[in-house]
Amino acid sequence: MERKTVKILGFNVDTFTFGEALEYIKNRHGHIVTINPEMIQAAKQNEEFANIIDSAELVIPDGIGVQLGLKILGYNVRRIAGIEFARKLVDMFSENSEPIAFVGAKPEVITGAVENIKKETPSVNVCYVQDGYFKDDERVVEEIKNSGAKLVLVAMGSPKQEFLIKQLKESMNDAVFIGIGGSFDVWAGAVKRAPLIYQKLGLEWLYRTIKEPKRFKRIFPTLPLFVLKVLQEKFGA
């Protein structure tokens, strides 16, 4: 299966369906980026971050804003929720008990997330657990490398998680890495995921903003400006 990508504001995004993306990454290695408008905006201002996205082996459209932007540009690419994709990866790697590393979030959150996953997927092989409150990246990178992990889930928020993955990728050439933001909070039960109707409509961001008003400043004006820039790209303004 070959990659088929389209560009949005200069960044490649894969056009796979959820199932195709899973099939593509099977028996492969490298970095999976779950891209959203905030990441694109940040990457536009940070060349190192932009290079990390450009060098990723798979870039899935996590944010509804990216799906909307691609639609404006004439591409019918469906959103792939990063939290769901990462959970399917856990199941996929657990089929053969391949070792999985969990990194990020608060100590009690990552502990709860791992405990719940062990209950849901008894065959999961957890080889490493580290909360996100560490300052010695070199130690963590070395420990993950020595753990033999084949799948590394990093939930530290963007772009911090992507910078850590860059370090890991340089020393581990046979693993899959994915940054998954606040997913551990949901898996641990510390944060309730949006109702199904919000998920289907791609409005999880709206639900979370309603529940956590402080997120409003982060979402706006990023999302409207992102759409405006896509329109400018489309019409050459």
Side-chain angles (χ1 to χ4, degrees):
M1 183 184 295
E2 294 184 3
R3 289 183 74 185
K4 293 181 181 179
T5 62
V6 293
K7 279 190 178 293
I8 183 167
L9 298 183
F11 294 95
N12 287 321
V13 178
D14 286 275
T15 60
F16 293 130
T17 63
F18 192 107
E20 288 171 344
L22 274 178
E23 188 62 32
Y24 177 79
I25 205 64
K26 189 180 291 186
N27 300 320
R28 284 184 169 86
H29 55 78
H31 185 188
I32 302 170
V33 169
T34 58
I35 201 164
N36 60 39
E38 294 169 85
M39 292 174 69
I40 290 176
Q41 295 288 75
K44 284 288 187 181
Q45 301 170 29
N46 186 317
E47 186 177 357
E48 184 181 359
F49 186 30
N51 289 336
I52 290 173
I53 295 174
D54 286 337
S55 63
E57 280 65 33
L58 183 65
V59 181
I60 60 175
D62 181 28
I64 189 62
V66 174
Q67 179 180 315
L68 175 60
L70 290 171
K71 189 75 172 178
I72 291 170
L73 295 174
Y75 305 118
N76 188 23
V77 181
R78 295 287 297 174
R79 171 179 178 256
I80 296 176
I83 186 172
E84 294 175 8
F85 194 77
R87 189 63 186 85
K88 285 294 184 181
L89 285 174
V90 170
D91 288 341
M92 186 172 78
F93 277 76
S94 297
E95 289 174 2
N96 297 313
S97 295
E98 294 181 273
I100 303 174
F102 294 76
V103 183
K106 297 177 181 178
E108 64 273 19
V109 169
I110 192 170
T111 298
V114 171
E115 287 178 352
N116 286 339
I117 284 177
K118 285 180 176 179
K119 293 175 185 176
E120 296 167 4
T121 309
S123 60
V124 66
N125 178 5
V126 179
C127 67
Y128 185 79
V129 177
Q130 168 67 57
D131 65 66
Y133 291 78
F134 60 87
K135 296 181 179 179
D136 46 349
D137 287 16
E138 290 184 8
R139 171 187 65 82
V140 173
V141 168
E142 191 64 21
E143 288 177 354
I144 296 173
K145 179 181 176 182
N146 293 335
S147 75
K150 297 302 180 186
L151 173 63
V152 183
L153 307 169
V154 186
M156 297 171 62
S158 184
K160 188 175 182 180
Q161 61 194 18
E162 282 75 31
F163 286 128
L164 179 64
I165 287 173
K166 178 178 182 289
Q167 294 181 63
L168 291 166
K169 186 178 171 182
E170 289 172 351
S171 58
M172 298 170 67
N173 59 10
D174 61 348
V176 171
F177 311 92
I178 183 169
I180 53 175
S183 296
F184 289 172
D185 294 88
V186 177
W187 293 353
V191 172
K192 186 177 180 181
R193 196 174 177 194
L196 192 58
I197 186 64
Y198 283 86
Q199 296 177 35
K200 288 184 175 181
L201 293 174
L203 295 175
E204 288 185 79
W205 63 270
L206 177 60
Y207 177 83
R208 291 193 63 185
T209 302
I210 293 171
K211 292 292 184 179
E212 303 173 59
K214 64 181 181 180
R215 290 173 58 88
F216 185 86
K217 289 183 179 180
R218 205 178 86 184
I219 298 296
F220 296 95
T222 300
L223 188 56
L225 285 176
F226 174 79
V227 172
L228 179 60
K229 287 182 179 180
V230 173
L231 287 168
Q232 291 174 335
E233 180 177 275
K234 179 178 176 66
F235 296 109

